[in-house]
Amino acid sequence: MKNCIVAQSGGPTVAINASLAGILEENKRSGYFDTIYGALNGITGIFDKRFLNLSELQNNDSEFTKKLTVTPAMFLGSCRYKLDTEGENPEVYEKIFSLFREMDIDSFFYIGGNDSMDTVLKLSNYAKRTGSSVKVLGIPKTIDNDLMHTDHTPGFGSAAKYIAASVREIWHDTMIYHVKSVTIVEIMGRDAGWLTAASALAREGEGTAPHLIYLPEKAFSVPVFLKDLHHFLDKQDNVVIAVSEGIRDKNGKYLSAGVSTTDTFGHTQLSGAGKALELLVKEAFNIKVRSIEVNILQRCASHLASATDLKEASQLGAHAVVCASEGLSGHMMVIDRLRNDPYTTQMAVYPIEKIANGVRSVPLSFINDEGNDVTGEMLAYLNPLIEGEPEIIYKNGLPEYLHVDHLFR
Amino acid sequence: MKNCIVAQSGGPTVAINASLAGILEENKRSGYFDTIYGALNGITGIFDKRFLNLSELQNNDSEFTKKLTVTPAMFLGSCRYKLDTEGENPEVYEKIFSLFREMDIDSFFYIGGNDSMDTVLKLSNYAKRTGSSVKVLGIPKTIDNDLMHTDHTPGFGSAAKYIAASVREIWHDTMIYHVKSVTIVEIMGRDAGWLTAASALAREGEGTAPHLIYLPEKAFSVPVFLKDLHHFLDKQDNVVIAVSEGIRDKNGKYLSAGVSTTDTFGHTQLSGAGKALELLVKEAFNIKVRSIEVNILQRCASHLASATDLKEASQLGAHAVVCASEGLSGHMMVIDRLRNDPYTTQMAVYPIEKIANGVRSVPLSFINDEGNDVTGEMLAYLNPLIEGEPEIIYKNGLPEYLHVDHLFR
């Protein structure tokens, strides 16, 4: 008897369930695992013995993996759980691996971001040290695109497509009035500017949005920003600025720290970089200014997913099953880009200890010298990742997703 | 020689250009007008003599109206311009009608919301009084759905579809953690709750989002709200609340007035109802709370347009050409709903003086007694309006819209 457990962790993306679907589909083909269990709410589902029999769901519904592929966020739920080191808490490791033995677990797949890869590292090291045959493999996902040693991460392409489409639509919305206006779009990515950079794909030609792009990788200077903006406002009425939530000055101080919200009880909350810039621009130019915080739809809008992203996420899941069947452990699945024209990738692996706890920032060659736009290199990198529209099932006018009653009822 | 001028005004929606396309297509069929001109930036384009020859654009590109139909916001640009009364400013009327004569204008079509219908009223009255043969007709649009004497307004169905899809995706995003959380979604609609009500369409079954819905049509009570919320938090971890930006207490005081944002310069800005509720819930329950202000995409996300909405918007444009050719003036095009099953409508007209400056609120029978949800009547009303997905043209992974260089270069 050879079973496996899959769990999902960290923040949502549009592509996480596609990796889960890839695991199920590859196993249907190869039959390597007898049963695939899904642990609910990440690794905490293992502690609490909360499982879904995914093989059963797959067998009972021939459309299951197809629907799963386009369902956003985590079908298995998520957790924010930092696994103690073995030194701090040996019991938790014993508990997990004793359950693995009890359930005839051959492999454990963790689909997640940086914290999840830390868990993969710890569990695979424990297995190795104790002579357990359980293979522990990581499958990446994050809209931030900041995991090391993979060309990009599943979830990023769809988020990038969402950002680019949104900024294009925002441009059409904001430029209709014949009066001076500035629109600031704040995009997720505290430490890495990949997603904000993707706003550049929105451009429809010269003079169209976004006009200025600021990433956290380059120090933000208020006087230089105001000069940049002045330059554009001289040329045209409506200017759109894409800004990462994590922009900071040369001392590393977040721009957002300058603005606070006070409620009726006197509590203070930090506002975002977008709001901070809004107030700054209002003060400096005394014109119409709006800041838009792109909400969590940038990470969960399956209706605007990238087909390329979902395909690769699924391929990484499938690759993990192949790797496990070949006895591999302690690795994360990665995407290697072989060429851009035609865009070609291969699924590969990388040792987990070289990935966990690192952050991949935007290289400076992808940002222009002025620090207010991206370069052609960045565009060439981004372009293929947003390509293609998956088939979304609509019912009664709305995208139809798999229900997640098992998570909350 | 018989020409016409079309202009667009007010806030953007996804369906305004579909009405423009409907005018062009119907005229291509009937040939009633020799040339259709588009005034840029609403009626101010007439003052400034800024026009596009739309007939030419249509003749030069066989796909023009098809692309126009799915292009968001205003292809002709917009304005916020309150036309003086004839008593206040007779010159402006003389200027407009003298230009009409000069350009052989037979009809003027204004696509817009409440303020634009006020302009239609004034211009058609002037024409009547002065014996001008120019026909002035209004074509409605507003995501707020608050124009009188039409079953619904173009633009609303697409916005409703966007809101419902978004709340469904937000539900998948927010319910993945096994911890108590409250998510507040603030939706546009200062005086009418139609769009917030559309969030109810997001539900996938019992216990799914949205759990509570608050519209401006019923007085909002903080203690009752906290009790409502408590009830849901007792039953499940994650609660999603849809709230109109315009909710107010029994004295008509906006909830948003309670919270202010202070910038580094000491300026104070009012925050929205969502942020106000966020702080309130945090104070009362001390759990994870997030408020999401659905941004302007709710009115410009053509990639998620309702095919029903675009079709009807186009039909209203076509109907306006028919009405003008029959000599009608001083009316707004309206949609009459004949039945729900199958959903059937007819395009009709209504006297402009009974429409301008009125607001159509949500009837109380569409809101439940507790004031925290909508009724089955509301759902039956809403359901057909979001049906169908138009063909969106994607290029390089993004929706391809008509460029609007004529507005800003």
Side-chain angles (χ1 to χ4, degrees):
Chain A
M1 191 66 110
K2 258 205 290 277
N3 303 321
C4 77
I5 294 175
V6 190
Q8 300 171 319
S9 176
T13 85
V14 155
I16 313 178
N17 292 327
S19 289
L20 182 57
I23 291 171
L24 290 166
E25 281 166 2
E26 171 60 22
N27 193 56
K28 185 157 195 171
R29 202 192 59 73
S30 72
Y32 182 73
F33 298 114
D34 295 293
T35 301
I36 297 179
Y37 294 103
L40 297 185
N41 296 108
I43 197 155
T44 67
I46 295 181
F47 305 146
D48 306 338
K49 300 193 182 180
R50 293 168 65 230
F51 296 103
L52 270 192
N53 186 326
L54 292 166
S55 300
E56 205 173 274
L57 291 174
Q58 182 181 23
N59 292 335
N60 291 345
D61 178 0
S62 62
E63 300 272 283
F64 180 70
T65 55
K66 187 182 165 193
K67 293 181 214 159
L68 185 60
T69 301
V70 294
T71 295
M74 279 88 158
F75 182 69
L76 300 173
S78 183
C79 68
R80 295 274 185 197
Y81 184 88
K82 181 94 177 164
L83 189 63
D84 290 336
T85 63
E86 213 191 318
E88 289 164 342
N89 188 356
E91 296 79 17
V92 74
Y93 289 82
E94 284 151 25
K95 193 172 170 186
I96 292 169
F97 279 82
S98 129
L99 188 78
F100 282 172
R101 281 188 298 274
E102 198 182 298
M103 291 175 71
D104 294 316
I105 297 306
D106 171 89
S107 303
F108 173 60
F109 301 113
Y110 213 18
I111 313 175
N114 239 320
D115 288 344
S116 316
M117 294 313 136
D118 179 67
T119 300
V120 170
L121 174 63
K122 286 169 176 163
L123 291 180
S124 59
N125 279 345
Y126 179 87
K128 197 171 165 192
R129 201 186 60 68
T130 59
S132 161
S133 64
V134 175
K135 289 148 272 180
V136 184
L137 292 167
I139 300 168
K141 70 84 212 162
T142 164
I143 63 163
D144 293 332
N145 199 35
D146 62 351
L147 283 173
M148 307 285 284
H149 303 297
T150 182
D151 178 77
H152 54 280
T153 56
F156 172 66
S158 295
K161 186 183 185 106
Y162 182 85
I163 289 296
S166 299
V167 170
R168 179 172 288 184
E169 289 174 338
I170 287 170
W171 165 243
H172 280 265
D173 184 285
T174 57
M175 57 77 63
I176 55 172
Y177 296 112
H178 201 27
V179 291
K180 294 278 172 201
S181 82
V182 173
T183 305
I184 297 148
V185 185
E186 182 192 310
I187 297 161
M188 284 182 178
R190 194 113 184 114
D191 297 310
W194 296 104
L195 200 50
T196 303
S199 66
L201 299 172
R203 289 181 183 138
E204 295 176 322
E206 210 188 318
T208 64
H211 304 92
L212 293 163
I213 302 174
Y214 297 98
L215 313 184
E217 280 83 356
K218 277 219 177 177
F220 185 85
S221 151
V222 168
V224 173
F225 161 69
L226 293 175
K227 218 181 98 201
D228 289 350
L229 180 54
H230 197 279
H231 168 75
F232 273 98
L233 283 171
D234 265 357
K235 289 196 296 186
Q236 62 187 80
D237 282 342
N238 309 106
V239 178
V240 176
I241 302 165
V243 59
S244 160
E245 61 175 334
I247 52 168
R248 56 199 84 170
D249 67 18
K250 63 182 186 333
N251 302 315
K253 188 171 162 256
Y254 288 107
L255 195 73
S256 48
V259 185
S260 63
T261 302
T262 310
D263 70 5
T264 37
F265 308 101
H267 300 150
T268 293
Q269 286 198 311
L270 286 188
S271 287
K275 180 58 81 178
L277 285 188
E278 177 190 326
L279 299 172
L280 201 63
V281 172
K282 239 176 216 159
E283 181 72 18
F285 295 94
N286 194 26
I287 55 176
K288 184 179 163 193
V289 191
R290 180 202 295 272
S291 69
I292 297 171
E293 191 186 332
V294 185
N295 55 50
I296 55 175
L297 285 172
Q298 66 194 291
R299 66 186 192 199
C300 66
S302 281
H303 74 265
L304 201 57
S306 151
T308 301
D309 185 28
L310 296 190
K311 190 180 86 181
E312 290 176 340
S314 168
Q315 286 174 338
L316 283 187
H319 194 55
V321 173
V322 173
C323 291
S325 74
E326 290 170 352
L328 199 72
S329 184
H331 283 71
M332 185 182 86
M333 306 298 116
V334 298
I335 302 172
D336 289 344
R337 187 186 308 219
L338 303 180
R339 56 184 176 180
N340 258 345
D341 191 20
Y343 175 67
T344 315
T345 54
Q346 69 180 7
M347 303 303 126
V349 296
Y350 212 86
I352 192 73
E353 67 270 17
K354 297 195 174 149
I355 288 174
N357 307 312
V359 170
R360 192 171 67 101
S361 302
V362 173
L364 289 183
S365 67
F366 282 22
I367 308 175
N368 71 349
D369 290 341
E370 296 77 15
N372 61 16
D373 204 343
V374 299
T375 62
E377 260 187 275
M378 174 63 101
L379 294 175
Y381 170 84
L382 292 170
N383 268 318
L385 309 185
I386 68 165
E387 274 287 355
E389 293 69 51
E391 188 196 333
I392 304 293
I393 306 139
Y394 279 83
K395 196 178 159 190
N396 299 326
L398 294 177
E400 174 84 340
Y401 301 133
L402 280 182
H403 294 188
V404 282
D405 297 36
H406 52 276
L407 287 176
F408 72 98
R409 295 189 75 179
Chain B
M1 190 68 106
K2 259 204 289 281
N3 303 321
C4 77
I5 293 176
V6 191
Q8 301 172 319
S9 175
T13 84
V14 156
I16 311 176
N17 292 326
S19 289
L20 181 56
I23 291 172
L24 290 166
E25 282 166 2
E26 173 58 24
N27 193 57
K28 185 159 196 170
R29 203 192 57 74
S30 72
Y32 181 73
F33 298 113
D34 295 294
T35 301
I36 297 180
Y37 295 103
L40 298 186
N41 296 109
I43 195 153
T44 66
I46 296 181
F47 305 146
D48 307 338
K49 301 194 182 180
R50 293 169 63 231
F51 295 102
L52 268 193
N53 186 326
L54 292 166
S55 299
E56 204 173 275
L57 290 175
Q58 183 181 22
N59 291 337
N60 292 344
D61 178 1
S62 62
E63 301 272 282
F64 179 70
T65 54
K66 186 182 165 193
K67 292 182 215 160
L68 185 60
T69 301
V70 293
T71 295
M74 279 88 159
F75 182 69
L76 301 173
S78 182
C79 68
R80 295 275 186 200
Y81 185 89
K82 182 93 177 163
L83 188 65
D84 290 336
T85 62
E86 214 191 317
E88 289 164 342
N89 188 358
E91 296 79 17
V92 74
Y93 289 82
E94 285 151 25
K95 191 170 171 186
I96 292 169
F97 280 81
S98 131
L99 189 77
F100 283 172
R101 282 188 295 276
E102 196 181 299
M103 292 175 70
D104 294 316
I105 298 304
D106 173 88
S107 302
F108 173 59
F109 302 113
Y110 214 18
I111 313 174
N114 240 319
D115 289 343
S116 318
M117 294 313 136
D118 178 67
T119 300
V120 170
L121 174 63
K122 286 171 176 161
L123 291 181
S124 59
N125 279 345
Y126 179 87
K128 198 173 163 188
R129 201 185 60 68
T130 60
S132 161
S133 64
V134 175
K135 290 149 271 183
V136 183
L137 292 168
I139 301 168
K141 67 84 213 162
T142 164
I143 64 163
D144 292 334
N145 200 35
D146 61 353
L147 284 172
M148 305 286 284
H149 303 296
T150 180
D151 179 76
H152 54 281
T153 55
F156 173 66
S158 295
K161 186 183 185 108
Y162 182 84
I163 289 297
S166 298
V167 169
R168 179 172 287 184
E169 290 175 338
I170 286 170
W171 165 243
H172 279 267
D173 185 285
T174 58
M175 58 76 64
I176 55 171
Y177 297 112
H178 200 26
V179 291
K180 294 277 173 202
S181 83
V182 173
T183 304
I184 298 147
V185 185
E186 184 191 309
I187 297 161
M188 284 181 177
R190 193 116 183 115
D191 296 311
W194 295 105
L195 200 49
T196 303
S199 67
L201 299 171
R203 290 181 183 138
E204 296 175 319
E206 209 187 318
T208 64
H211 304 92
L212 293 163
I213 301 175
Y214 297 99
L215 312 185
E217 281 83 356
K218 277 219 176 177
F220 185 85
S221 150
V222 169
V224 172
F225 161 68
L226 293 175
K227 219 181 98 199
D228 289 352
L229 179 55
H230 197 279
H231 169 74
F232 273 99
L233 282 171
D234 265 356
K235 289 196 297 187
Q236 62 186 81
D237 282 342
N238 308 106
V239 178
V240 176
I241 302 164
V243 58
S244 160
E245 61 175 334
I247 52 169
R248 55 200 85 169
D249 67 18
K250 63 181 184 337
N251 302 315
K253 187 171 162 258
Y254 288 108
L255 195 73
S256 49
V259 184
S260 64
T261 302
T262 309
D263 70 4
T264 39
F265 309 101
H267 300 147
T268 292
Q269 286 199 310
L270 285 188
S271 287
K275 179 59 80 177
L277 284 189
E278 177 189 327
L279 299 172
L280 200 65
V281 172
K282 239 175 218 164
E283 181 72 17
F285 294 95
N286 194 27
I287 56 175
K288 184 178 162 191
V289 191
R290 179 201 298 271
S291 69
I292 296 170
E293 193 185 333
V294 185
N295 55 51
I296 55 175
L297 285 171
Q298 67 195 290
R299 66 186 192 199
C300 65
S302 282
H303 74 265
L304 201 57
S306 151
T308 301
D309 185 28
L310 297 191
K311 191 180 84 181
E312 291 176 341
S314 168
Q315 286 173 339
L316 283 187
H319 194 56
V321 173
V322 173
C323 291
S325 74
E326 291 168 354
L328 199 71
S329 184
H331 283 71
M332 185 182 85
M333 306 299 117
V334 299
I335 302 171
D336 287 345
R337 186 185 310 219
L338 302 179
R339 55 183 176 181
N340 259 343
D341 191 19
Y343 175 68
T344 316
T345 54
Q346 70 180 7
M347 303 303 123
V349 296
Y350 212 85
I352 193 70
E353 67 270 18
K354 296 195 175 149
I355 288 174
N357 308 312
V359 170
R360 193 171 64 102
S361 303
V362 173
L364 289 182
S365 67
F366 281 23
I367 307 174
N368 71 350
D369 291 340
E370 296 78 15
N372 60 19
D373 205 343
V374 299
T375 62
E377 260 187 275
M378 173 63 101
L379 293 174
Y381 169 83
L382 292 171
N383 267 318
L385 309 184
I386 67 164
E387 273 288 352
E389 293 70 50
E391 189 197 334
I392 303 294
I393 306 140
Y394 279 83
K395 194 178 161 192
N396 299 328
L398 293 177
E400 175 84 340
Y401 300 132
L402 281 182
H403 293 189
V404 282
D405 297 38
H406 52 277
L407 287 175
F408 72 97
R409 296 189 73 181

